[in-house]
mmCIF file of all heavy atoms in Angstrom:
data_model
loop_
_atom_site.group_PDB
_atom_site.id
_atom_site.type_symbol
_atom_site.label_atom_id
_atom_site.label_comp_id
_atom_site.label_asym_id
_atom_site.label_seq_id
_atom_site.Cartn_x
_atom_site.Cartn_y
_atom_site.Cartn_z
ATOM 1 N N ALA A 222 -15.298 57.089 -73.326
ATOM 2 C CA ALA A 222 -16.152 57.988 -74.117
ATOM 3 C C ALA A 222 -16.381 59.303 -73.376
ATOM 4 O O ALA A 222 -16.439 60.379 -73.995
ATOM 5 C CB ALA A 222 -17.492 57.319 -74.423
ATOM 6 N N ASP A 223 -16.502 59.232 -72.066
ATOM 7 C CA ASP A 223 -16.673 60.446 -71.260
ATOM 8 C C ASP A 223 -15.425 61.317 -71.321
ATOM 9 O O ASP A 223 -15.512 62.546 -71.432
ATOM 10 C CB ASP A 223 -16.972 60.074 -69.800
ATOM 11 C CG ASP A 223 -18.342 59.466 -69.619
ATOM 12 O OD1 ASP A 223 -19.338 60.191 -69.774
ATOM 13 O OD2 ASP A 223 -18.423 58.256 -69.330
ATOM 14 N N ILE A 224 -14.264 60.688 -71.238
ATOM 15 C CA ILE A 224 -13.005 61.437 -71.303
ATOM 16 C C ILE A 224 -12.887 62.136 -72.654
ATOM 17 O O ILE A 224 -12.480 63.294 -72.741
ATOM 18 C CB ILE A 224 -11.810 60.500 -71.052
ATOM 19 C CG1 ILE A 224 -11.842 59.984 -69.602
ATOM 20 C CG2 ILE A 224 -10.489 61.213 -71.326
ATOM 21 C CD1 ILE A 224 -10.803 58.925 -69.297
ATOM 22 N N ARG A 225 -13.281 61.429 -73.715
ATOM 23 C CA ARG A 225 -13.214 62.014 -75.073
ATOM 24 C C ARG A 225 -14.185 63.180 -75.214
ATOM 25 O O ARG A 225 -13.851 64.208 -75.819
ATOM 26 C CB ARG A 225 -13.520 60.936 -76.119
ATOM 27 C CG ARG A 225 -13.281 61.390 -77.560
ATOM 28 C CD ARG A 225 -11.804 61.627 -77.809
ATOM 29 N NE ARG A 225 -11.525 62.123 -79.161
ATOM 30 C CZ ARG A 225 -11.536 63.400 -79.514
ATOM 31 N NH1 ARG A 225 -11.847 64.340 -78.635
ATOM 32 N NH2 ARG A 225 -11.230 63.767 -80.740
ATOM 33 N N LEU A 226 -15.380 63.039 -74.671
ATOM 34 C CA LEU A 226 -16.387 64.093 -74.788
ATOM 35 C C LEU A 226 -15.995 65.315 -73.967
ATOM 36 O O LEU A 226 -16.034 66.448 -74.475
ATOM 37 C CB LEU A 226 -17.755 63.580 -74.343
ATOM 38 C CG LEU A 226 -18.887 64.607 -74.315
ATOM 39 C CD1 LEU A 226 -19.100 65.242 -75.694
ATOM 40 C CD2 LEU A 226 -20.185 63.969 -73.813
ATOM 41 N N ALA A 227 -15.620 65.111 -72.718
ATOM 42 C CA ALA A 227 -15.263 66.243 -71.860
ATOM 43 C C ALA A 227 -14.088 67.019 -72.444
ATOM 44 O O ALA A 227 -14.087 68.256 -72.443
ATOM 45 C CB ALA A 227 -14.928 65.749 -70.453
ATOM 46 N N SER A 228 -13.104 66.304 -72.957
ATOM 47 C CA SER A 228 -11.943 66.966 -73.563
ATOM 48 C C SER A 228 -12.364 67.801 -74.768
ATOM 49 O O SER A 228 -11.916 68.939 -74.943
ATOM 50 C CB SER A 228 -10.904 65.924 -73.979
ATOM 51 O OG SER A 228 -10.414 65.202 -72.865
ATOM 52 N N THR A 229 -13.230 67.260 -75.597
ATOM 53 C CA THR A 229 -13.704 67.967 -76.790
ATOM 54 C C THR A 229 -14.396 69.282 -76.419
ATOM 55 O O THR A 229 -14.191 70.309 -77.067
ATOM 56 C CB THR A 229 -14.671 67.072 -77.588
ATOM 57 O OG1 THR A 229 -13.971 65.918 -78.039
ATOM 58 C CG2 THR A 229 -15.245 67.808 -78.790
ATOM 59 N N LEU A 230 -15.196 69.241 -75.371
ATOM 60 C CA LEU A 230 -15.951 70.428 -74.966
ATOM 61 C C LEU A 230 -15.034 71.558 -74.501
ATOM 62 O O LEU A 230 -15.444 72.730 -74.514
ATOM 63 C CB LEU A 230 -16.948 70.067 -73.862
ATOM 64 C CG LEU A 230 -18.032 69.054 -74.240
ATOM 65 C CD1 LEU A 230 -18.982 68.820 -73.075
ATOM 66 C CD2 LEU A 230 -18.802 69.504 -75.475
ATOM 67 N N GLU A 231 -13.804 71.230 -74.112
ATOM 68 C CA GLU A 231 -12.867 72.263 -73.662
ATOM 69 C C GLU A 231 -12.590 73.286 -74.765
ATOM 70 O O GLU A 231 -12.391 74.476 -74.483
ATOM 71 C CB GLU A 231 -11.546 71.629 -73.209
ATOM 72 C CG GLU A 231 -11.639 70.788 -71.949
ATOM 73 C CD GLU A 231 -11.736 71.610 -70.674
ATOM 74 O OE1 GLU A 231 -11.464 72.835 -70.721
ATOM 75 O OE2 GLU A 231 -12.079 71.025 -69.633
ATOM 76 N N PHE A 232 -12.564 72.846 -76.021
ATOM 77 C CA PHE A 232 -12.252 73.750 -77.136
ATOM 78 C C PHE A 232 -13.306 74.852 -77.308
ATOM 79 O O PHE A 232 -13.002 75.919 -77.845
ATOM 80 C CB PHE A 232 -12.139 72.958 -78.443
ATOM 81 C CG PHE A 232 -10.727 72.639 -78.845
ATOM 82 C CD1 PHE A 232 -10.485 71.830 -79.944
ATOM 83 C CD2 PHE A 232 -9.637 73.150 -78.154
ATOM 84 C CE1 PHE A 232 -9.188 71.527 -80.340
ATOM 85 C CE2 PHE A 232 -8.335 72.853 -78.533
ATOM 86 C CZ PHE A 232 -8.107 72.038 -79.635
ATOM 87 N N LEU A 233 -14.524 74.586 -76.884
ATOM 88 C CA LEU A 233 -15.612 75.532 -77.133
ATOM 89 C C LEU A 233 -15.433 76.844 -76.369
ATOM 90 O O LEU A 233 -16.059 77.846 -76.706
ATOM 91 C CB LEU A 233 -16.954 74.898 -76.795
ATOM 92 C CG LEU A 233 -17.350 73.722 -77.700
ATOM 93 C CD1 LEU A 233 -18.648 73.093 -77.229
ATOM 94 C CD2 LEU A 233 -17.479 74.171 -79.155
ATOM 95 N N ALA A 234 -14.553 76.837 -75.386
ATOM 96 C CA ALA A 234 -14.310 78.070 -74.626
ATOM 97 C C ALA A 234 -13.661 79.149 -75.485
ATOM 98 O O ALA A 234 -13.822 80.342 -75.222
ATOM 99 C CB ALA A 234 -13.422 77.771 -73.420
ATOM 100 N N VAL A 235 -12.949 78.747 -76.541
ATOM 101 C CA VAL A 235 -12.248 79.731 -77.372
ATOM 102 C C VAL A 235 -13.219 80.604 -78.161
ATOM 103 O O VAL A 235 -12.872 81.720 -78.559
ATOM 104 C CB VAL A 235 -11.240 79.031 -78.321
ATOM 105 C CG1 VAL A 235 -11.940 78.391 -79.513
ATOM 106 C CG2 VAL A 235 -10.159 80.005 -78.786
ATOM 107 N N ILE A 236 -14.432 80.120 -78.379
ATOM 108 C CA ILE A 236 -15.438 80.919 -79.094
ATOM 109 C C ILE A 236 -16.550 81.355 -78.137
ATOM 110 O O ILE A 236 -17.616 81.800 -78.575
ATOM 111 C CB ILE A 236 -16.044 80.134 -80.289
ATOM 112 C CG1 ILE A 236 -16.610 78.782 -79.837
ATOM 113 C CG2 ILE A 236 -15.017 79.963 -81.391
ATOM 114 C CD1 ILE A 236 -17.372 78.036 -80.906
ATOM 115 N N ASP A 237 -16.293 81.203 -76.831
ATOM 116 C CA ASP A 237 -17.269 81.590 -75.798
ATOM 117 C C ASP A 237 -18.625 80.932 -76.034
ATOM 118 O O ASP A 237 -19.686 81.568 -75.874
ATOM 119 C CB ASP A 237 -17.426 83.116 -75.740
ATOM 120 C CG ASP A 237 -16.139 83.800 -75.311
ATOM 121 O OD1 ASP A 237 -15.464 83.273 -74.404
ATOM 122 O OD2 ASP A 237 -15.794 84.853 -75.882
ATOM 123 N N TYR A 238 -18.577 79.654 -76.438
ATOM 124 C CA TYR A 238 -19.819 78.921 -76.691
ATOM 125 C C TYR A 238 -20.582 78.742 -75.380
ATOM 126 O O TYR A 238 -20.000 78.358 -74.356
ATOM 127 C CB TYR A 238 -19.505 77.561 -77.297
ATOM 128 C CG TYR A 238 -20.732 76.765 -77.697
ATOM 129 C CD1 TYR A 238 -21.318 76.925 -78.942
ATOM 130 C CD2 TYR A 238 -21.303 75.839 -76.822
ATOM 131 C CE1 TYR A 238 -22.436 76.205 -79.322
ATOM 132 C CE2 TYR A 238 -22.424 75.109 -77.185
ATOM 133 C CZ TYR A 238 -22.986 75.297 -78.432
ATOM 134 O OH TYR A 238 -24.100 74.567 -78.798
ATOM 135 N N ALA A 239 -21.875 79.017 -75.413
ATOM 136 C CA ALA A 239 -22.697 78.910 -74.205
ATOM 137 C C ALA A 239 -23.107 77.447 -73.973
ATOM 138 O O ALA A 239 -24.128 76.989 -74.479
ATOM 139 C CB ALA A 239 -23.933 79.796 -74.336
ATOM 140 N N LEU A 240 -22.297 76.732 -73.233
ATOM 141 C CA LEU A 240 -22.630 75.337 -72.922
ATOM 142 C C LEU A 240 -23.894 75.283 -72.078
ATOM 143 O O LEU A 240 -24.081 76.109 -71.176
ATOM 144 C CB LEU A 240 -21.492 74.676 -72.145
ATOM 145 C CG LEU A 240 -20.255 74.224 -72.913
ATOM 146 C CD1 LEU A 240 -19.185 73.756 -71.928
ATOM 147 C CD2 LEU A 240 -20.597 73.102 -73.881
ATOM 148 N N PRO A 241 -24.781 74.309 -72.337
ATOM 149 C CA PRO A 241 -25.947 74.155 -71.467
ATOM 150 C C PRO A 241 -25.513 73.797 -70.048
ATOM 151 O O PRO A 241 -24.402 73.300 -69.834
ATOM 152 C CB PRO A 241 -26.733 73.013 -72.117
ATOM 153 C CG PRO A 241 -25.766 72.307 -73.004
ATOM 154 C CD PRO A 241 -24.761 73.325 -73.417
ATOM 155 N N LYS A 242 -26.366 74.046 -69.096
ATOM 156 C CA LYS A 242 -26.033 73.833 -67.682
ATOM 157 C C LYS A 242 -25.564 72.407 -67.417
ATOM 158 O O LYS A 242 -24.589 72.180 -66.698
ATOM 159 C CB LYS A 242 -27.258 74.151 -66.822
ATOM 160 C CG LYS A 242 -26.986 74.025 -65.323
ATOM 161 C CD LYS A 242 -28.244 74.294 -64.510
ATOM 162 C CE LYS A 242 -27.979 74.085 -63.024
ATOM 163 N NZ LYS A 242 -29.225 74.264 -62.217
ATOM 164 N N TRP A 243 -26.245 71.430 -68.026
ATOM 165 C CA TRP A 243 -25.882 70.039 -67.761
ATOM 166 C C TRP A 243 -24.463 69.742 -68.227
ATOM 167 O O TRP A 243 -23.732 68.975 -67.572
ATOM 168 C CB TRP A 243 -26.863 69.078 -68.455
ATOM 169 C CG TRP A 243 -26.687 68.963 -69.942
ATOM 170 C CD1 TRP A 243 -27.393 69.613 -70.911
ATOM 171 C CD2 TRP A 243 -25.724 68.155 -70.636
ATOM 172 N NE1 TRP A 243 -26.941 69.274 -72.165
ATOM 173 C CE2 TRP A 243 -25.921 68.374 -72.031
ATOM 174 C CE3 TRP A 243 -24.725 67.278 -70.245
ATOM 175 C CZ2 TRP A 243 -25.155 67.740 -73.010
ATOM 176 C CZ3 TRP A 243 -23.959 66.640 -71.219
ATOM 177 C CH2 TRP A 243 -24.171 66.871 -72.579
ATOM 178 N N ALA A 244 -24.056 70.366 -69.344
ATOM 179 C CA ALA A 244 -22.720 70.111 -69.888
ATOM 180 C C ALA A 244 -21.640 70.700 -68.990
ATOM 181 O O ALA A 244 -20.579 70.091 -68.785
ATOM 182 C CB ALA A 244 -22.610 70.674 -71.296
ATOM 183 N N LYS A 245 -21.890 71.875 -68.446
ATOM 184 C CA LYS A 245 -20.942 72.482 -67.514
ATOM 185 C C LYS A 245 -20.789 71.596 -66.269
ATOM 186 O O LYS A 245 -19.674 71.359 -65.790
ATOM 187 C CB LYS A 245 -21.423 73.878 -67.103
ATOM 188 C CG LYS A 245 -21.392 74.912 -68.218
ATOM 189 C CD LYS A 245 -21.914 76.253 -67.709
ATOM 190 C CE LYS A 245 -21.941 77.307 -68.801
ATOM 191 N NZ LYS A 245 -22.505 78.587 -68.321
#
Side-chain angles (χ1 to χ4, degrees):
D223 290 291
I224 293 173
R225 188 67 183 87
L226 176 58
S228 298
T229 297
L230 298 182
E231 292 284 346
F232 261 175
L233 294 176
V235 77
I236 55 173
D237 296 320
Y238 185 87
L240 282 173
K242 183 182 177 183
W243 75 262
K245 292 179 182 177

